[in-house]
Amino acid sequence: MVENKAKETDDNTNWKAWYGFVILFFAIQVGFYAWLTEFFS
Amino acid sequence: MSGIDWAVLLGTLGLIVGYGTYMTRKSAGLEGYLKGGSDMKWLTIGLSVMATQASAITFISTPGLAYENGMEFIQNYFGLPIAILIVCVVFIPIYYRLKVYTAYEYLEQRFDVRIRLITASLFMLSRGLAAGITIYAPAIIISVMLGWSLELTILLVGILVIVYTVSGGTKAVSLTQKWQMTVILLGMGIAFGILLNRMPEEVSFLGALDLAGASGRMNVVDFSFDFSKRYTFWSGITGGLFLALSYFGTDQSQVQRYLSGKSIKESRLGLLFNALLKIPMQFMILLTGVLVFVFYQFEAHPVLFNKAAVQTAQESKYKAEFQDIENQHQQFHKEKKAAYLDYARQPTDAKKETLLALDKKAKSVRDQAREVVLKADPDQSSRDSDYVFLTFILNYLPQGLVGLLIAVIISAAMSSTAGEINALSSTTMVDFYQRFSKTEKSDTQSVNLSKWLTLGWGILAIIFALSAQLVENLIEAVNILGSVFYGTILGVFLTAFFLKKVGSRAVFTGIIVGQLTVFVLFYYEAVGYLWFNVIGCAIVMIVSYITSIFSSKPEQS
């Protein structure tokens, strides 16, 4: 097998903040879609 | 299509294919061919992951779905962001730590070679069939609407994909997908703008949404616990979660995209890009379909959009009956147009009730027309919604943009097919050939063999697409086939990650019991096929765990 050049080590990115942002953005979208459904029904 | 449209279409496709082939013309060894040199940035990975998932059917069928039933389909994607977070936290670190080329390599390290081969084979079976359909499904629609030969359309898409996927491997796939996705987003954005611009003067953007709502098309989210409904918030975040987790975590056509990252950070960011943007993208595609629905309340259109179906009815002994329905539809359209304009000028609850009743009647007229088509030819596809968006493109977009939108559809077909045949050849090479080959091959020989395998899978996809026309409802059949195996594959991976004491013998029992149960459910049509993913996965995990507890001999895992 040839050598895999990709770095396996992690970095100092704040992943918890990223994951929290993804969940928050998803929750905001669901709220917006619920509002759209209600408003235009 | 006009000469300008042809120039735009061939120019766009030629540039993308030429770019992908030229940029990857220098051989970079097997690591470069299978993993794209592991130097991809997050944006390329993100667009590549998005392009692999979004097939041509996404851009043809999804607006048609919204035209027919409104926005509810968006809920199917609600499990996706959560699934991607799980892949980022659990799957990616393991794949990177073990330096694997395919997801299935990990299973040999965790269990044994038998489990690796079973899951790799299940992937190859379902994805191999799907690659043919990815080419066939848009080709049949494009050929009907543009009068092209179906065989030539399949060959055009298939050969273009083979050219750059064989020549440049994973890197060519990712680089071309980036530009394909750019063309797709640009084309869809322009179509959306033109649609808004062509609405009657009385109808603003908000007015169009109001009309769509009054016709029951703004049903974006439904929190009810009604299991008879296909799409609800709850089915999205349960069934949709398992489907997305299986797809992003264990399907090599996706795993290969993010394993081409420069680092674990780039891979994660590429996936998070999809966690953030996939739902808004689907929302915009569905909204385009809803606006097409509003648009067609003011513009005359045939009772059925599928030209081949209309022709079948008109050339049959049911011609007079079909003509009656068509006349009824045209007469009814005038009544509908007046009612919609009236509501647009001054909306009231009473008028809304009228619109809902008119929409119900319009659906019933279309159903009658479909029945006549099926009487004339039981083999004729009665699915008309796939043709709605393409009819709008061909009839209302200016010259040049028609070519661009056809390029969008063909690009989407090419990008997902390329991801699939690239992943199929990698799995064949790494999980089968390299695993069992006793002769040592040089790097160049390995790359050449990978190229032959890619070519072989490409030709198989074309052959399957060419013979697909013999089978009715094949698209649905392949979707079901995917769900039949996905649950089991995901169950094996989740057992590997979370049930540390379970060994290979126990998981093998789990696979057999899980897969047989799904086969029985499939045979008796006991539940909707989306639930196969959840049930298959749960049974594999539970049976593996119980077997490992009662196993007399301790296993080496």
Side-chain angles (χ1 to χ4, degrees), chain B residues 21-29 167:
Chain B
T21 314
Y22 179 77
M23 293 298 283
T24 53
R25 66 195 182 284
K26 287 177 190 161
S27 175
S167 118

Side-chain angles (χ1 to χ4, degrees), chain B residues 482-518:
Chain B
S483 291
V484 165
F485 297 115
Y486 259 177
T488 308
I489 297 177
L490 181 63
V492 176
F493 275 87
L494 293 187
T495 305
F497 293 146
F498 297 114
L499 304 177
K500 298 289 182 196
K501 288 181 181 170
V502 175
S504 66
R505 210 178 312 129
V507 86
F508 184 74
T509 313
I511 292 173
I512 301 294
V513 177
Q515 198 58 67
L516 284 177
T517 311
V518 175

Side-chain angles (χ1 to χ4, degrees), chain B residues 121-147:
Chain B
S121 305
L122 290 179
F123 161 73
M124 285 162 72
L125 179 66
S126 59
R127 203 36 76 185
L129 290 171
I133 294 305
T134 314
I135 302 176
Y136 170 75
I140 177 80
I141 295 166
I142 289 173
S143 64
V144 165
M145 297 307 285
L146 295 174

Side-chain angles (χ1 to χ4, degrees), chain B residues 94-360:
Chain B
I94 293 175
Y95 291 155
Y96 265 87
R97 195 162 57 241
L98 300 177
K99 299 183 191 300
V100 294
Y101 278 66
T102 73
Y104 319 108
E105 272 183 273
Y106 159 68
L107 294 177
E108 181 171 359
Q109 301 190 33
R110 171 66 177 81
F111 297 117
D112 60 21
V113 67
R114 183 177 48 165
I115 306 299
R116 173 182 180 179
L117 293 185
I118 289 173
T119 45
S121 305
L122 290 179
F123 161 73
M124 285 162 72
L125 179 66
S126 59
R127 203 36 76 185
L129 290 171
I133 294 305
T134 314
I135 302 176
Y136 170 75
I140 177 80
I141 295 166
I142 289 173
S143 64
V144 165
M145 297 307 285
L146 295 174
W148 296 0
S149 146
L150 175 63
E151 288 75 17
L152 283 180
T153 313
I154 289 171
L155 284 173
L156 169 80
V157 176
I159 290 171
L160 283 177
V161 169
I162 287 175
V163 167
Y164 65 85
T165 313
V166 168
S167 118
T170 298
K171 192 163 197 169
V173 172
S174 297
L175 287 178
T176 46
Q177 280 175 330
K178 186 162 85 171
W179 290 108
Q180 282 158 342
M181 208 57 223
T182 308
V183 170
I184 288 168
L185 294 176
L186 180 75
M188 291 302 287
I190 291 173
F192 189 84
I194 288 175
L195 195 48
L196 280 183
N197 196 39
R198 294 205 65 138
M199 290 286 177
E201 265 182 36
E202 294 91 333
V203 182
S204 62
F205 175 57
L206 283 178
L209 295 186
D210 200 15
L211 283 170
S215 316
R217 298 297 193 282
M218 292 301 288
N219 48 343
V220 195
V221 61
D222 179 353
F223 289 106
S224 70
F225 288 98
D226 185 348
F227 290 103
S228 64
K229 288 184 181 170
R230 182 173 282 184
Y231 305 112
T232 64
F233 174 81
W234 307 109
S235 73
I237 58 162
T238 52
L241 168 69
F242 276 80
L243 186 65
L245 193 55
S246 191
Y247 181 58
F248 287 102
T250 73
D251 190 310
Q252 181 62 17
S253 65
Q254 282 297 0
V255 174
Q256 192 156 7
R257 304 280 78 75
Y258 55 77
L259 286 188
S260 65
K262 190 177 179 183
S263 64
I264 199 166
K265 178 182 177 182
E266 303 292 335
S267 298
R268 276 179 170 158
L269 288 177
L271 274 180
L272 291 181
F273 173 86
N274 281 269
L276 290 170
L277 294 184
K278 180 69 188 176
I279 297 178
M281 187 184 93
Q282 288 299 136
F283 177 80
M284 291 309 291
I285 297 171
L286 284 163
L287 193 61
T288 305
V290 164
L291 291 181
V292 170
F293 167 80
V294 175
F295 174 81
Y296 272 127
Q297 304 314 305
F298 302 104
E299 290 286 330
H301 62 89
V303 64
L304 292 183
F305 291 89
N306 180 351
K307 283 181 181 174
V310 171
Q311 198 179 352
T312 303
Q314 283 172 340
E315 288 171 357
S316 72
K317 60 180 178 180
Y318 303 100
K319 183 183 172 184
E321 193 182 340
F322 189 79
Q323 193 55 50
D324 274 352
I325 297 171
E326 181 68 59
N327 294 343
Q328 199 186 331
H329 163 76
Q330 294 305 340
Q331 191 57 38
F332 179 57
H333 176 75
K334 288 176 191 159
E335 191 187 331
K336 255 195 332 172
K337 183 177 176 180
Y340 272 84
L341 275 175
D342 189 30
Y343 184 89
R345 287 181 192 121
Q346 201 173 18
T348 65
D349 285 345
K351 288 177 189 172
K352 188 184 276 186
E353 291 301 320
T354 311
L355 294 192
L356 280 173
L358 286 171
D359 184 54
K360 208 172 169 184

Side-chain angles (χ1 to χ4, degrees), chain B residues 14 31 76 112 203 210 233 320 352 375 393 399 446 481 523:
Chain B
E31 207 271 347
N76 201 36
D112 60 21
V203 182
D210 200 15
F233 174 81
K352 188 184 276 186
K375 271 198 293 185
I393 290 171
Q399 280 191 1
S446 297
L481 188 75
Y523 183 77

Side-chain angles (χ1 to χ4, degrees), chain A residues 1-11 13 15 18-19 21-23 25-26 29-30 32-34 36-37 40-41, chain B residues 31 35 38 78 85 88-89 96-97 99 101 209-210 213 218 220-221 261-262 264-265 268 276 279-280 283 352 434 443:
Chain A
M1 187 70 71
V2 286
E3 188 200 351
N4 181 350
K5 288 188 269 179
K7 287 178 197 167
E8 63 177 280
T9 50
D10 211 334
D11 54 284
T13 309
W15 291 111
W18 269 105
Y19 300 153
F21 176 63
V22 168
I23 290 169
F25 186 64
F26 173 61
Q29 281 184 88
V30 173
F32 173 65
Y33 298 148
L36 269 182
T37 308
F40 289 107
S41 64
Chain B
E31 207 271 347
K35 277 192 161 182
S38 299
F78 279 1
L85 292 188
C88 284
V89 174
Y96 265 87
R97 195 162 57 241
K99 299 183 191 300
Y101 278 66
L209 295 186
D210 200 15
M218 292 301 288
V220 195
V221 61
K262 190 177 179 183
I264 199 166
K265 178 182 177 182
R268 276 179 170 158
L276 290 170
I279 297 178
F283 177 80
K352 188 184 276 186
Q434 283 194 331
D443 209 32

